[in-house]
Amino acid sequence: MEKEEKELAGKERHMGEAVSGEEVEKSIRKRFHKELFSKFARAINDYELVQENDRIAVCISGGKDSMLMAKLFQELKRHNKFPFELTFLVMDPGYNPANRQMIEYNARILNVPVTIFQSEIFDAVYDVEKSPCYLCARMRRGYLYSKAQELGCNKIALGHHFDDVIETILMGMLYGGQVQTMMPKLHSTNFQGMELIRPLYLIREDSIKHWRDYNHLRFLQCACRFTEDSAVSKNSDGSELSKRMEVKKLIAEMKKTNPFVENNIFKSVENVNLSTIIAYKEQGVRHHFLDQY
């Protein structure tokens, strides 16, 4: 009880005040060590995401996930057992001035030394009717790879978390008719020698939100010009939802009767029994169970 009262008092002291980078770092080391830093370090170790002499471009979009990733990388650097370098990379794809200022402000108060570069992606995809979000994501990744390589980096780090992973698994099954997952790391097919890593792979989104709210931080929700101007995104009755939001709601509903459903979805792509699969692809080659029946 005494511990909870002290924590509450700490929150009240910060209410309405600009949090300092030192306070945020302290919360990662103390209050959120198990929820955030331990899982961050575990993903890096389990999936071998960081190697000696890596030069990693930590890609910051301005949202809660990528900003937390930047702080966790800084904390990892304090404990690193081998040398590696970090560049905190922000791409401005055409943010409005208020969103750009918010990113710069958060980077400043959180002591994250960002490198910002400009692109015109929002202008390029704004009038695209079919799959503008998919095209935007592909273009953003290409620009990030290119800039990171130009700066001498061999890896880019993105802020996808555990919930993104399990939602992607279900989206592939329900809407794509395939079993696949969001991988913890990938070799780039277009930028030789470059890799993509996802060090928040084991961190729950609720933990990230808890860290954000505990420190009274405000980040960009969605700075996309398309959703800013879209009537669909503003429907109050929720009649039009993205496929990811539909899946998020489905998982939440299933969790009411099965508290292990999220971990089970995650583990399902680690426990694939090929002898019970009708067909699968490997390196682009399709294999069917009748081939060796």
Side-chain angles (χ1 to χ4, degrees), residues 6 17 45 48 59 63 81 91 110 118 125 169 184 190 217 222 267 274:
K6 286 182 179 179
E17 299 176 5
N45 291 327
E48 300 178 357
C59 300
K81 300 174 182 178
M91 181 184 66
L110 294 176
Q118 196 79 23
V125 303
I169 294 169
N190 298 317
L217 296 167
C222 178
K267 290 177 180 177
L274 289 181

Side-chain angles (χ1 to χ4, degrees), residues 162-163 165-167 169-170 173-174 204 247-269:
F162 180 95
D163 295 67
V165 177
I166 63 173
E167 289 160 14
I169 294 169
L170 279 191
M173 295 173 66
L174 300 177
R204 298 304 311 271
V247 168
K248 191 183 288 286
K249 285 176 172 286
L250 175 62
I251 293 172
E253 194 64 30
M254 290 191 293
K255 189 179 177 181
K256 292 178 182 178
T257 54
N258 179 4
F260 307 106
V261 69
E262 293 150 314
N263 283 328
N264 287 343
I265 295 170
F266 185 87
K267 290 177 180 177
S268 69
V269 291

Side-chain angles (χ1 to χ4, degrees), residues 4-59:
E4 292 177 353
E5 289 174 352
K6 286 182 179 179
E7 191 171 298
L8 181 59
K11 282 189 176 184
E12 289 172 347
R13 281 198 302 273
H14 296 309
M15 192 67 70
E17 299 176 5
V19 71
S20 71
E22 291 76 13
E23 290 172 307
V24 171
E25 289 160 9
K26 183 179 179 181
S27 75
I28 289 173
R29 292 171 197 148
K30 302 290 185 180
R31 176 67 179 81
F32 296 98
H33 187 273
K34 184 177 180 181
E35 286 181 70
L36 298 178
F37 185 74
S38 290
K39 291 185 177 181
F40 179 79
R42 180 183 159 199
I44 285 174
N45 291 327
D46 286 359
Y47 302 118
E48 300 178 357
L49 302 183
V50 179
Q51 277 84 36
E52 189 171 354
N53 298 319
D54 274 345
R55 294 180 62 87
I56 302 168
V58 181
C59 300

Side-chain angles (χ1 to χ4, degrees), residues 79-138:
H79 303 283
N80 66 312
K81 300 174 182 178
F82 51 79
F84 66 92
E85 298 300 324
L86 299 171
T87 297
F88 299 99
L89 193 59
V90 176
M91 181 184 66
D92 182 344
Y95 292 135
N96 67 44
N99 287 334
R100 169 76 176 249
Q101 289 167 14
M102 178 177 281
I103 294 173
E104 293 173 340
Y105 172 77
N106 281 329
R108 186 166 59 252
I109 65 169
L110 294 176
N111 299 325
V112 178
V114 295
T115 298
I116 302 178
F117 72 101
Q118 196 79 23
S119 73
E120 303 300 329
I121 291 176
F122 284 175
D123 286 339
V125 303
Y126 185 71
D127 293 320
V128 175
E129 293 185 5
K130 187 175 181 181
S131 303
C133 297
Y134 173 78
L135 178 61
C136 181
R138 290 294 299 270

